Amino acid sequence: MRDPLRARMLRVLAGLLVGLLVLAGCVQPAPVPGAAPAAPPSTEVVELRITWYDDGNEGEILRELLDRFEANNPDIRVTIDTVPYSSGILQTLPVQLEAGEGPDMARVTQFGILARHFLDLRPYLSNPAYWEENFGPFLNWMQAEPGGNAIPGFMTQLTVTGPFINRTLFEQAGVPVPSDTSDQVTWEEWAAATRQVADATGTFAMAMDRSGHRLAGPAVSMGATFFDEEGHPRVVDDAGFRAMAEYMVQWHADGTMIPEVWVGTAGSYQAANEPFINGQLVFYMSGSWQVGQFNRLIGDAFDWEAVPNPCGPAACTGMPGGAGLVAIGTTRHPQEVARVMEYLTQEEVLAEFYARTLFIPGHLGLAAKGVDFAADLPQALTSLNVFAGEVGKLAPLAYDLQAYRYNTILFNAIRDRLTQVFTGELTLDEALQRMQDDIDAGIAATQQ
Amino acid sequence: MTDSRRVPIAPPAQLPSLPRPGWGDRVSDLFYALFAGVMNVLDVFFAAIQRWIGSRRMAYVFVLPNLLIFGIFVLFPMLLNFYYSLTGGTALFPQSRPFVGLQNFAHLFDCANFLNPNTCREDRFWRGVYNTVFYVVFQVGIMVLVALLTALVLNRTLRSRGFFRSVFFYPVLLSPVVVALIWKWILQRDGLINAALVSLGMERIVFFLNANWAVFWVIFISTWAQMGFYMLILLAGLQSIPSELYEASAMDGAGRLQSFRHITLPLLMPTMLVVTVLALIRAVQVFDQVWVLTGGGPGTATTYVVQYIYETAFAGQIARFGLASAASMVLGIALLLFTLVQLKVGQRSDIGA
């Protein structure tokens, strides 16, 4: 006797099968005999990805420029993956690159330590001489080996570290701005003046981004040498570095520096732009990349401007730096990446990019000609002029430090150990020894 | 002769017709048929296996899928982590990493005085260890106590008992990151609490710049966020205690405290043990909530071992995977010890019972 359940199941399955066949017939129409064969699919579109971060509006400008490129190059589509600077660029990207899972291009700042992951575009470029001529000095920062001649990318911006002031607070406090009357204002003079303003206006006197790079310029000004005779980084007995570190300890102890930035954070970079934008800071040690953001977010809400780097006994220097768009070695489309890079580095394209982002040009030709910055605010234009002037005053050691391959190991050790002095976990002597140990261990790890 | 007891039978009425099967019935028929079909196919497959290996070994076949998942996602990473802890350098892939033996462990345990992190070569690891021990002792102690008290209160007949149970449980449903962000907004310099203090004419307190305040809030917030979960387990334990025991003790003249001490506490002990061990394991792994709330600061006051491991492996410009793996092995061994202690104590209490 037949099982009625099984019989019903078979009927349902048969029905399902028929249904599926009908559906399949609908999806794939049967070819009509004698009809022309279907046209082959259009040329394959290559998708390229850029890992990017924003300080200001540069992501929007880049997108607009790439839209124009894509309109003329329909075989390439470029996707911009915008990530946070600290967690995306400093922390995640290096692991992705190490795993061979990186993007086709990336905007980075830590050139030396990542250089071995970059692609040398030289074989794919139509005119490598143009790159050497206009980006030459910065290409040195991107070499995997000293003396290399690879062309991995170009500088989306050249940066110079330096301070901003809130002039409105000086006026409210009736305190003269020290740099109005002197070309060379010391760190002590700035600290004294800003403390007066802060006391009178109920604000904070000073802040510095929580970054070893930001501290390096002032330390060089105070006479830091950073390297021993063999070229190995050395801070433990560097008198100039110690002098600047002592200032930082003192300013955190007496409330001159806003404590949230260095003390309130552990283990990562922290900018102090928010309190400055909110009008809570008199003096903010940061750099030229903030101009675009301040132009947009502060506007003319109060008078802000960049001032020349404060002086120490050895110099009045900031640090050079910058961000570059580099090609990544694991890309499967080096030709297409080179085409995008060649487009973006055309003089008129880069001129528009620098002008609209308010970035100091990292293209020597444009720097010589000058860029017509798209800013009406006198505060932004004054600041850009100040930073442009600072480029010529940078100490040679500042350039050496920026070009040093393991500088991020040095900067991070300085940042983290100095914070422990501010919180009382270490004495300055202990911290200097710890910095040295961290630097030595970090460099040794890279050489294992 | 007619039988007077015979009951006349009414002519059969017409049976009501069955309703026609609707779409719901057809869909359920379809699913049933599919299910039956799949089961029939599996039956053939498993019958063949059973004939081949015998019915006694079939249990292994059923355990196999879970074992494979465990092996791939837990056991293999653990073994890989152990291998990484024996290697050095900064390369990501194991084949590119030089073998350094126990060097990473020696580096971690290179201490002149284990009670003073400043004398240790890897001082940040030991600061993380001490911070974690402090956190575990206080957070777990306070949380289990508060969860027990809350469970005891909510076990009584109260008005709106369901509402209060929900109120205490809802924070458990929030992501640790959300919890941290909410409390950060409340506690920061211009946050809710400081706004209230200033409006009352008091001084602002910048909680995250003071190590003691930061540690206090980290423990408070994690207790607030997790307590509901453990309270629920304890509540279930309390409700499983037979009410006859309390009635009998009341008849014997026992007071509330005596009932609690001699009935509730002993019978709740197995549940308390489970709660304590679960809370301990979770406390040792503390990271995400604190990372968002304080970033580990001020200084390293709220930097715990897992944050040290994360930063050593991923957040620094030099990825020291070997050292981070060695630290995570040490943490894993500590957790294993906690679990063994739990098993031992559990066995002892079973024997006692």
Side-chain angles (χ1 to χ4, degrees):
Chain A
M1 189 180 148
R2 288 184 65 191
D3 178 357
L5 173 65
R6 183 158 294 201
R8 193 163 63 173
M9 188 183 83
L10 281 173
R11 275 203 306 278
V12 171
L13 283 175
L16 263 179
L17 192 64
V18 170
L20 283 172
L21 284 173
V22 170
L23 272 176
C26 293
V27 170
Q28 185 65 51
V32 180
S42 60
T43 314
E44 196 184 339
V45 176
V46 171
E47 183 173 359
L48 302 177
R49 302 195 82 91
I50 300 178
T51 297
W52 185 265
Y53 74 93
D54 280 331
D55 281 323
N57 64 343
E58 61 268 35
E60 291 166 36
I61 311 296
L62 181 75
R63 184 67 265 167
E64 280 182 39
L65 296 173
L66 287 172
D67 286 345
R68 282 183 230 160
F69 171 80
E70 286 175 0
N72 293 321
N73 296 272
D75 59 322
I76 298 178
R77 191 167 61 229
V78 187
T79 303
I80 303 174
D81 298 312
T82 305
V83 297
Y85 175 65
S86 184
S87 60
I89 301 294
L90 296 183
Q91 294 176 17
T92 308
L93 184 66
V95 180
Q96 287 176 331
L97 296 180
E98 195 65 48
E101 299 290 334
D104 300 287
M105 291 164 271
R107 185 187 188 209
V108 299
T109 54
Q110 65 280 45
F111 300 110
I113 208 96
L114 298 180
R116 64 199 168 94
H117 300 293
F118 297 165
L119 172 73
D120 182 8
L121 290 167
R122 187 179 286 274
Y124 308 102
L125 296 174
S126 55
N127 186 8
Y130 169 82
W131 288 68
E132 286 167 353
E133 189 184 329
N134 289 295
F135 304 111
F138 315 118
L139 292 176
N140 288 338
W141 297 352
M142 303 179 186
Q143 302 304 319
E145 296 298 331
N149 73 340
I151 303 179
F154 68 98
M155 300 297 286
T156 54
Q157 74 199 106
L158 184 67
T159 60
V160 191
T161 62
F164 292 87
I165 58 160
N166 182 331
R167 184 175 281 276
T168 303
L169 290 176
F170 276 93
E171 287 166 1
Q172 285 173 357
V175 176
V177 175
S179 57
D180 286 353
T181 51
S182 171
D183 289 340
Q184 298 198 338
V185 185
T186 65
W187 273 100
E188 267 190 346
E189 287 166 344
W190 271 115
T194 54
R195 263 197 304 269
Q196 279 183 44
V197 176
D199 289 344
T201 55
T203 52
F204 288 97
M206 297 171 95
M208 180 185 287
D209 290 333
R210 187 172 187 272
S211 154
H213 180 266
R214 228 62 83 241
L215 188 71
V220 172
S221 299
M222 295 300 291
T225 52
F226 279 112
F227 297 99
D228 63 16
E229 286 166 1
E230 279 113 43
H232 185 82
R234 188 161 182 87
V235 292
V236 67
D237 49 8
D238 185 333
F241 179 79
R242 188 188 178 94
M244 191 62 214
E246 281 173 348
Y247 271 150
M248 289 292 284
V249 175
Q250 179 193 324
W251 292 334
H252 274 89
D254 66 16
T256 303
M257 283 266 174
I258 186 168
E260 272 92 339
V261 182
W262 282 70
V263 179
T265 319
S268 61
Y269 166 79
Q270 178 67 47
N273 51 353
E274 278 188 27
F276 187 77
I277 290 167
N278 292 334
Q280 296 169 311
L281 263 179
V282 183
F283 177 101
Y284 171 33
M285 178 65 194
S286 187
S288 57
W289 58 94
Q290 301 283 8
V291 175
Q293 189 183 108
F294 291 169
N295 181 58
R296 197 161 44 95
L297 297 178
I298 303 175
D300 58 0
F302 58 82
D303 273 346
W304 56 274
E305 66 189 60
V307 291
N309 271 293
C311 299
C316 312
T317 186
M319 278 289 290
L325 184 65
V326 293
I328 302 300
T330 49
T331 180
R332 286 182 296 165
H333 309 289
Q335 296 276 9
E336 286 79 6
V337 167
R339 279 168 61 193
V340 173
M341 289 287 203
E342 287 202 308
Y343 162 76
L344 288 174
T345 51
Q346 287 172 21
E347 209 166 286
E348 61 275 18
V349 176
L350 260 189
E352 182 182 343
F353 180 78
Y354 293 137
R356 292 176 64 191
T357 54
L358 309 185
F359 285 162
I360 295 175
H363 179 288
L364 296 182
L366 286 171
K369 283 182 195 168
V371 172
D372 189 10
F373 288 112
D376 297 329
L377 274 180
Q379 291 93 333
L381 293 170
T382 305
S383 302
L384 287 166
N385 283 332
V386 168
F387 282 121
E390 287 300 289
V391 175
K393 295 195 284 181
L394 295 173
L397 177 59
Y399 281 107
D400 291 345
L401 202 51
Q402 179 60 21
Y404 180 57
R405 190 176 173 187
Y406 300 122
N407 59 14
T408 43
I409 298 175
L410 178 82
F411 294 149
N412 288 358
I414 291 171
R415 178 195 69 194
D416 293 340
R417 294 303 185 179
L418 207 50
T419 303
Q420 288 184 280
V421 183
F422 304 155
T423 57
E425 291 175 4
L426 296 176
T427 64
L428 185 55
D429 286 323
E430 287 170 337
L432 290 171
Q433 186 57 55
R434 290 285 178 187
M435 281 176 210
Q436 192 63 51
D437 294 344
D438 290 351
I439 293 164
D440 294 344
I443 293 173
T446 63
Q447 291 166 350
Q448 266 184 332
Chain B
M1 198 175 142
T2 56
D3 188 349
S4 59
R5 288 173 301 174
R6 183 178 289 177
V7 177
I9 297 169
Q14 198 168 359
L15 289 170
S17 60
L18 290 169
R20 289 169 65 82
W23 272 106
D25 296 326
R26 286 181 189 169
V27 170
S28 66
D29 279 355
L30 179 66
F31 275 110
Y32 180 75
L34 281 173
F35 176 73
V38 170
M39 284 298 132
N40 281 345
V41 172
L42 286 179
D43 187 41
V44 173
F45 176 68
F46 281 109
I49 294 177
Q50 189 172 336
R51 275 197 299 277
W52 182 37
I53 64 171
S55 60
R56 287 171 63 89
R57 295 197 186 96
M58 279 306 283
Y60 295 108
V61 175
F62 293 120
V63 168
L64 190 65
N66 201 14
L67 205 63
L68 276 176
I69 291 169
F70 178 81
I72 293 168
F73 293 107
V74 179
L75 197 61
F76 174 68
M78 275 170 64
L79 292 173
L80 197 61
N81 185 68
F82 177 62
Y83 177 73
Y84 267 78
S85 71
L86 304 176
T87 61
T90 57
L92 180 66
F93 293 111
Q95 68 271 21
S96 318
R97 299 180 58 81
F99 185 81
V100 297
L102 296 174
Q103 194 178 300
N104 289 317
F105 292 95
H107 185 91
L108 285 179
F109 286 94
D110 184 0
C111 252
N113 174 6
F114 281 99
L115 295 177
N116 180 3
N118 283 352
T119 65
C120 299
R121 193 168 167 199
E122 197 56 29
D123 62 323
R124 276 184 285 215
F125 171 73
W126 289 101
R127 283 181 196 283
V129 169
Y130 296 133
N131 290 343
T132 306
V133 169
F134 186 87
Y135 174 85
V136 167
V137 169
F138 282 92
Q139 197 263 356
V140 173
I142 292 167
M143 190 170 64
V144 172
L145 188 69
V146 175
L148 176 64
L149 291 174
T150 316
L152 286 169
V153 171
L154 293 181
N155 194 36
R156 298 164 64 91
T157 313
L158 288 175
R159 281 179 70 183
S160 310
R161 188 167 63 169
F163 169 76
F164 285 114
R165 284 181 184 176
S166 308
V167 164
F168 284 108
F169 186 72
Y170 278 148
V172 176
L173 302 177
L174 295 175
S175 139
V177 173
V178 173
V179 168
L181 284 176
I182 291 170
W183 280 97
K184 200 171 181 176
W185 290 328
I186 293 172
L187 295 169
Q188 63 194 6
R189 185 186 285 272
D190 297 316
L192 207 62
I193 290 184
N194 275 318
L197 290 176
V198 170
S199 69
L200 293 170
M202 296 162 75
E203 282 288 309
R204 241 177 252 273
I205 304 171
V206 189
F207 297 106
F208 297 136
L209 295 181
N210 178 297
N212 294 332
W213 273 118
V215 171
F216 166 80
W217 283 112
V218 161
I219 292 175
F220 177 87
I221 293 165
S222 57
T223 304
W224 173 81
Q226 298 167 18
M227 189 267 288
F229 175 71
Y230 301 105
M231 177 210 70
L232 214 62
I233 298 176
L234 289 171
L235 201 56
L238 285 172
Q239 288 178 350
S240 70
I241 300 175
S243 57
E244 292 84 359
L245 295 176
Y246 292 108
E247 289 162 14
S249 70
M251 286 170 73
D252 289 344
R256 277 186 183 174
L257 266 178
Q258 282 175 309
S259 295
F260 176 74
R261 195 177 151 200
H262 297 290
I263 299 173
T264 310
L265 217 48
L267 291 178
L268 199 60
M269 208 41 94
T271 316
M272 288 279 283
L273 191 68
V274 170
V275 163
T276 308
V277 171
L278 286 178
L280 268 176
I281 291 172
R282 191 165 179 181
V284 173
Q285 295 169 333
V286 59
F287 172 57
D288 42 7
Q289 200 164 290
V290 182
W291 173 257
V292 177
L293 189 71
T294 66
T300 56
T302 56
T303 300
Y304 300 105
V305 176
V306 177
Q307 185 176 332
Y308 166 84
I309 293 168
Y310 168 73
E311 286 180 345
T312 305
F314 302 111
Q317 289 301 303
I318 299 300
R320 300 175 76 182
F321 298 121
L323 196 60
S325 299
S328 68
M329 287 298 297
V330 174
L331 182 68
I333 290 166
L335 284 174
L336 186 68
L337 287 176
F338 279 137
T339 313
L340 288 177
V341 168
Q342 182 235 347
L343 283 174
K344 200 78 186 163
V345 175
Q347 280 171 354
R348 197 177 295 166
S349 64
D350 284 349
I351 292 164

